């Protein structure tokens, strides 16, 4: 008997493939095409821009395919999980760029769909889909990282508005973001039950950001200060003092997403090139054409196999989460594993290059060598961002394995 579901999906695949091909900007087909590296993040800074990356993002957003499974009522594609996967596959197969990278898509949007009121959904979700607003995440504070519920940034009820005072830290791209989703303290007598989830326009008076430099030389995050910042009453998502549930849910989405980023080489020196090929170039090959150093060969092979298995597992978990109620505490397992594999790959890359893999700048090093060094240093953060490896192991032991707290 014919499988009409499969037929329908194949028709959809053909249509999606045709549409992507017809709408991919010609300029982006040229690998040397000049686009602003920040354009992929969208936001107010690119409101009137004709950068080809922005043109691509806008075209895809008209179809809602920047957020393929979100409801069409909020600008999303309204696609089934299977159709969304096809769009992803066709974008990858065509070698097209990711249309939009966004904390709004990866983290905030999913929790707005689950917890926000109708007005908040109508206000924020379509702008996320269209890449009009760039979001940052105001969770960590100088005294509240792993112990996130220890956060102290105060949010006071002033009748017709909320008043925010306090400091966040490690706020990725706060200096470039338009809005911040933020955890604040609304009750000082309780810990977890005294936290609320609010949305803050970064252009509000009293918001200040100071970039911090990473060991890799990049400056991707900031200290963020809120001094007597007024926000409208309608900017609290979920109930007063009910922010912890939303915060935890968002972390599951975050962990799922950043694990995918490490798998693709994000922040881990993967952009320097294929590890096996690079090792052969620097270390040499034996008579059979295999990497000459047998021990290094075995470790690189293991890392590649781990990544392969990891990629298949994350694809399966992502499909399961699309088909059910979203990600679970099991995302802590993949976040932990992704960080470990990415750091191992960066170490192997630098080891294979020898002293060429330890360049900081200058003409004595090729661009790939500099990427490897900076990527290796950046990868140190992989086991910290989105919750440290130790904290994720704690989540797995308690929430996945059901083990008791240590005495
Ligand atoms: C690249 C990068 C980007 C980031 N971006 C953001 C962002 O956009 N927004 C944001 O809010 N935050 C961001 N962070 C911050 C990140 O979430 C925190 O750094 C992280 O949660 C750890 O908190 P901490 O730095 O305060 O370390 P601490 O919590 O002080 O931890 C110090 C050490 O103690 C260990 N430890 C702590 N508690 C336990 C425990 N119970 N059991 C076992 N070991 C424990 C930790 O694993 C760690 O090794 C970012 C961090 C990095 C590296």
């Amino acid at each position: 008997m014919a499988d009409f579901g499969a037929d329908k999906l194949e028709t959809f695949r053909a249509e999606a493939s045709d549409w992507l091909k017809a709408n991919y900007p010609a300029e982006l087909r040229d690998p040397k095409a000049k686009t602003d590296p920040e354009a992929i993040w969208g936001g107010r800074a690119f409101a009137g821009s004709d950068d080809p990356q922005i043109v691509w993002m806008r075209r895809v957003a008209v179809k809602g395919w920047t957020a393929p499974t979100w409801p069409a009522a909020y600008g999303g594609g309204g696609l089934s999980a299977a159709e969304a996967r096809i769009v992803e596959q066709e974008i990858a197969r065509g070698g097209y760029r990711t249309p939009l990278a966004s904390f709004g898509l990866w983290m905030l949007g999913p929790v707005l769909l689950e917890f926000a009121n109708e007005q908040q959904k109508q206000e924020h979700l379509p702008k996320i889909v269209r890449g009009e607003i760039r979001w940052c995440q105001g969770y960590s504070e100088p005294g509240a990282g792993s112990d996130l519920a220890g956060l102290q940034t105060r949010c006071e009820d002033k009748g017709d508005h909320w008043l925010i005072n306090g400091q966040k830290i490690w706020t990725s791209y706060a200096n470039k973001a338009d809005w911040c989703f933020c955890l604040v303290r609304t009750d000082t007598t309780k810990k977890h039950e005294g936290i609320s989830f609010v949305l803050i326009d970064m252009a509000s008076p009293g918001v200040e950001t100071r970039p911090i430099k990473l060991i890799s030389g990049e400056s991707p995050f900031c200290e963020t200060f809120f001094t007597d910042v007024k926000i409208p009453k309608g900017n609290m998502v979920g109930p007063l003092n009910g922010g912890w549930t939303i915060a935890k849910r968002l972390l599951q989405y975050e962990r799922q997403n950043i694990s995918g980023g490490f798998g693709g080489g994000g922040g881990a020196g993967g952009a320097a090139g294929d590890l096996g090929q690079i090792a052969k170039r620097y270390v040499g090959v034996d008579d059979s054409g295999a990497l000459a150093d047998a021990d290094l060969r075995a470790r690189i092979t293991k890392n590649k196999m781990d990544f392969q298995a990891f990629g298949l597992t994350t694809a399966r978990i992502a499909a399961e989460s699309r088909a059910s109620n979203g990600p679970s505490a099991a995302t802590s397992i993949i976040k932990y594993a992704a960080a470990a594999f990415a750091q191992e790959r960066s170490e192997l890359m630098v080891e294979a290059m020898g002293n060429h893999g330890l360049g900081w700048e200058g003409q004595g090093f090729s661009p790939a060598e500099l990427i490897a060094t900076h990527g290796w240093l950046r990868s140190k953060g992989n086991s910290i961002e989105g919750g440290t490896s130790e904290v994720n192991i704690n989540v797995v032991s308690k929430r996945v394995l059901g083990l008791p707290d240590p005495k």
Side-chain angles (χ1 to χ4, degrees), residues 103 137-141 144-147 169-172 221 378 381 384-388 390-391 394:
F103 288 9
Q137 177 189 32
Y139 270 38
S140 308
E141 295 183 4
S146 299
D147 183 20
I169 195 164
W170 319 124
T171 329
S172 296
F221 47 36
R378 172 62 183 83
I384 303 173
E385 59 200 302
T388 67
E390 292 78 9
V391 163
N394 285 348

Side-chain angles (χ1 to χ4, degrees), residues 1 43 48 63 90 93 117 121 139 148 163 167 185 202 210 245 257 267 282 288 297-298 306 326 341 344 366 403:
M1 202 172 92
K63 287 200 84 77
E90 290 305 309
R93 206 168 59 87
N117 62 35
K121 289 180 190 170
Y139 270 38
L148 183 59
L163 191 70
Q167 184 197 342
R185 180 148 302 286
M202 295 293 277
R210 291 188 204 149
T245 304
N257 271 295
Y282 284 86
S288 67
R297 187 170 73 223
D306 284 341
F341 298 152
E344 185 183 58
S366 71
L403 299 177

Side-chain angles (χ1 to χ4, degrees), residues 14-25:
E15 285 167 5
S17 167
D18 289 349
W19 188 90
L20 291 166
K21 197 169 167 193
N23 284 278
Y24 195 59

